[in-house]
Amino acid sequence: MFLQFLGIFLNVVHVLKFAFDGVGVEKCDMVGNLAAIVSECLMILMLLLIAKGWTITRMVMKCKLLTFAVWAAYLCFDIFLFVWNRVILARAYVHTMYTRCSLLPPQVEIDVIEDIDEYQTWPGWLTLSFRLSIMVWFLLELRSTFLLENKPDKLDFYLHFGAGFLVWFIYLPIVAVIASQVSALWRFKLLLSVTNSADFIAYVVLMHMLWPTRAASYFQIQSNIGEFEEELEEFETEAIIGDIPSPKQDSAALVT
């Protein structure tokens, strides 16, 4: 959540400065977008870990290497899409504009709005397909954990968790398809507003579900900490009792 807030804050700084001087702060824009990408990928990793039932139903996570490998691959795809959108498409746009300007007379005006966005390129469609694949894996892992669990409160938690975040996984491909039919003037604004709103709602829902007063009944960490504290208290009590000399030892010491 902190990375998401940092990304939005840096983007706001860039846009405000751009409104005054027409240039903005490119470093803030780039770092802000990268922070938002990492934040989204960490969110996906957390959802996968919860779907696996880690620290809720089971203490040992299965397929740990595969989970982190898939997460790292999705992170790389997202970063590659960002670089593609910022560098490669920008160069192609400049080349296209130069070609058009050289072929047209000076009095002809050119519309500078490019009718393309990041999800209308092959890296964009590949990233969306990868996201849908992770969604299917998320559902399979959640089903496996759901069948393994037998406590009603945890089953209710998994049910609401899966229903809520299934929507979060699938909204982006749907919005990308809808945005492809929207005018290029409003397409970026539509994508930005919907994605930020959906991420905000997802963070609020997750924070509500994992609030400490509720999480204590789901996660097994608290109970393990309590057992450890009890064992520590017993050990300290035995150590203190062992240090107290018995009456026989006191009388023997007086005789000597």
Side-chain angles (χ1 to χ4, degrees), residues 42-215:
L42 289 175
M43 179 74 166
I44 290 177
L45 178 62
M46 180 181 293
L47 296 181
L48 285 175
L49 294 180
I50 295 176
K52 286 176 173 291
W54 187 48
T55 71
I56 301 176
T57 302
R58 54 171 67 95
M59 294 304 297
V60 179
M61 184 177 64
K62 63 177 183 178
C63 302
K64 184 186 299 183
L65 183 61
L66 177 63
T67 302
F68 285 98
V70 171
W71 173 76
Y74 183 78
L75 177 62
C76 292
F77 269 106
D78 259 357
I79 294 177
F80 176 73
L81 177 61
F82 171 73
V83 174
W84 176 278
N85 188 51
R86 291 294 297 268
V87 178
I88 299 180
L89 288 183
R91 290 179 179 176
Y93 171 72
V94 171
H95 175 72
T96 303
M97 291 301 301
Y98 175 77
T99 304
R100 291 177 181 177
C101 291
S102 61
L103 296 176
L104 295 175
Q107 64 271 18
V108 177
E109 295 182 357
I110 300 176
D111 186 5
V112 297
I113 300 176
E114 188 73 14
D115 190 17
I116 195 170
D117 64 85
E118 58 184 349
Y119 295 116
Q120 288 184 330
T121 60
W122 68 264
W125 289 115
L126 192 60
T127 303
L128 292 177
S129 301
F130 202 170
R131 183 185 178 98
L132 291 176
S133 301
I134 294 177
M135 182 195 70
V136 174
W137 187 26
F138 167 81
L139 291 177
L140 293 176
E141 291 289 347
L142 190 62
R143 179 179 180 275
S144 175
T145 306
F146 191 85
L147 295 176
L148 186 65
E149 186 58 63
N150 53 13
K151 294 183 178 180
D153 54 343
K154 293 185 180 181
L155 290 174
D156 186 67
F157 168 78
Y158 284 131
L159 186 63
H160 290 86
F161 172 78
F165 287 98
L166 174 63
V167 178
W168 183 80
F169 269 109
I170 204 173
Y171 88 91
L172 187 57
I174 295 176
V175 172
V177 173
I178 295 175
S180 64
Q181 307 301 319
V182 177
S183 171
L185 272 173
W186 302 99
R187 186 177 301 147
F188 177 74
K189 297 177 182 179
L190 174 65
L191 288 171
L192 188 64
S193 59
V194 173
T195 52
N196 285 338
S197 301
D199 290 343
F200 174 75
I201 294 173
Y203 283 122
V204 170
V205 171
L206 187 62
M207 184 175 62
H208 172 74
M209 298 183 70
L210 301 182
W211 196 256
T213 56
R214 300 180 183 88

Side-chain angles (χ1 to χ4, degrees), residues 24-43:
V25 185
E26 288 295 329
K27 291 183 178 179
C28 287
D29 183 36
M30 183 172 295
V31 174
N33 289 323
L34 287 175
I37 291 172
V38 175
S39 174
E40 179 187 356
C41 292
L42 289 175
M43 179 74 166

